[in-house]
């Protein structure tokens, strides 16, 4: 029986990792075949430490995707290629998601519950802008290292 997912675009998230995904890590290639597999792995390693600091007080294992969007979207980009786009939110922050050819998916959309996000006509997001914030770059590096460690231990 297949897992049931709630993230946006899960039904059509069938893109494969790029040839050089995370340095062509053999554990990654064997265990992450599509974004659903990545979601499964990240679900076990997302934590309050990888959550955006301004949201950490609200992070719980039941809302594990809260505050994880940009670091997750750029990690997914490392693995699957494509582009990262952002939905402008109140307060001026962007909620990030992935687009690869015609495939649109948002591994962290569950944090918004029943709110309907608009995944069209949003600006592309760039890691040099996001990672200009050192804390965000460090959270991304931590999540990436945790993923590689998790995949090698699994």
């Amino acid at each position: 029986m297949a897992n049931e997912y709630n993230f946006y675009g899960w039904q059509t998230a069938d893109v494969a990792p790029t040839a050089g995904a995370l340095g062509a890590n053999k554990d990654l290639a064997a265990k992450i075949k599509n974004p659903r597999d990545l979601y499964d792995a990240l679900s076990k390693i997302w934590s309050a430490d990888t959550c955006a600091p301004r949201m950490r007080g609200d992070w719980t294992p039941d809302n594990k995707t809260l505050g994880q969007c940009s670091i997750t979207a750029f990690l997914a980009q490392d693995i699957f290629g494509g582009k990262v786009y952002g939905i402008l939110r109140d307060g001026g922050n962007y909620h990030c998601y992935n687009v690869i050819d015609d495939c649109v998916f948002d591994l962290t959309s569950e944090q918004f519950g029943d709110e309907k996000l608009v995944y069209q006509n949003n600006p592309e997001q760039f890691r040099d802008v996001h990672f200009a914030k050192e804390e965000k770059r460090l959270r991304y590096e931590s999540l990436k290292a945790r993923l590689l460690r998790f995949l090698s231990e699994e």
Side-chain angles (χ1 to χ4, degrees), residues 30-63:
K31 296 176 183 171
I32 304 290
K33 294 177 179 60
N34 58 52
R36 289 179 298 276
D37 289 343
L38 178 59
Y39 177 89
D40 289 341
L42 291 173
S43 291
K44 295 176 176 119
I45 61 174
W46 277 316
S47 69
D49 291 345
T50 57
C51 178
R54 72 183 187 284
M55 300 175 171
R56 242 174 232 159
D58 296 323
W59 189 91
T60 67
D62 290 334
N63 193 2

Side-chain angles (χ1 to χ4, degrees), residues 103-132:
C103 179
V104 178
F105 62 93
D106 180 353
L107 296 176
T108 64
S109 61
E110 293 170 290
Q111 67 184 296
F112 299 105
D114 293 333
E115 181 181 344
K116 299 292 183 217
L117 301 176
V118 177
Y119 291 95
Q120 296 86 28
N121 302 315
N122 294 305
E124 187 174 355
Q125 302 295 296
F126 299 95
R127 67 183 61 219
D128 60 335
V129 173
H130 281 264
F131 295 167

Side-chain angles (χ1 to χ4, degrees), residues 9-17 33-36 80 100 103-105:
W10 71 268
Q11 303 93 328
T12 57
D14 291 322
V15 294
K33 294 177 179 60
N34 58 52
R36 289 179 298 276
F80 302 108
I100 301 152
C103 179
V104 178
F105 62 93

Side-chain angles (χ1 to χ4, degrees), residues 82-102:
K83 295 183 178 182
V84 174
Y85 288 89
I87 300 168
L88 185 60
R89 304 290 297 163
D90 290 342
N93 293 306
Y94 283 91
H95 171 69
C96 296
Y97 63 95
N98 298 84
V99 178
I100 301 152
D101 298 322
D102 293 334

